[in-house]
Amino acid sequence: MNEIRPVIGIEFDDKYIDAKKKFIECLDAFNKLNPVQQEQLVKEIAASVGMIALLEQFIRFMHNGGQR
């Protein structure tokens, strides 16, 4: 239960500004991790991106009737 804490935040109407704010928060959170945690997170993200690419390629293949 110590890992979760309620916070009050501001959501911007402009999606660009909101995305920029969230990206900066993400970088800040990443920089607060120790090097081992940073490495593990990067490995997990890379694996996820690889799986997404394979899945998208498979979906395109199936939409094409199994033809290359």
Side-chain angles (χ1 to χ4, degrees):
M1 188 81 178
N2 292 339
E3 297 174 5
I4 300 173
R5 62 183 172 92
V7 295
I8 298 173
I10 298 172
E11 247 186 73
F12 297 98
D13 289 335
D14 185 352
K15 291 181 182 184
Y16 175 83
I17 293 172
D18 191 42
K20 192 163 99 172
K21 178 185 169 288
K22 288 178 182 180
F23 182 73
I24 291 169
E25 288 174 357
C26 177
L27 289 177
D28 186 44
F30 180 80
N31 288 330
K32 288 179 182 176
L33 298 175
N34 66 44
V36 173
Q37 291 171 322
Q38 288 178 344
E39 182 179 347
Q40 181 62 34
L41 182 58
V42 169
K43 286 179 181 178
E44 289 177 17
I45 291 170
S48 296
V49 169
M51 292 302 292
I52 290 169
L54 285 173
L55 181 60
E56 288 176 343
Q57 191 174 24
F58 177 73
I59 290 170
R60 280 194 306 271
F61 179 74
M62 294 307 290
H63 279 144
N64 195 21
Q67 303 295 318
R68 289 185 182 195

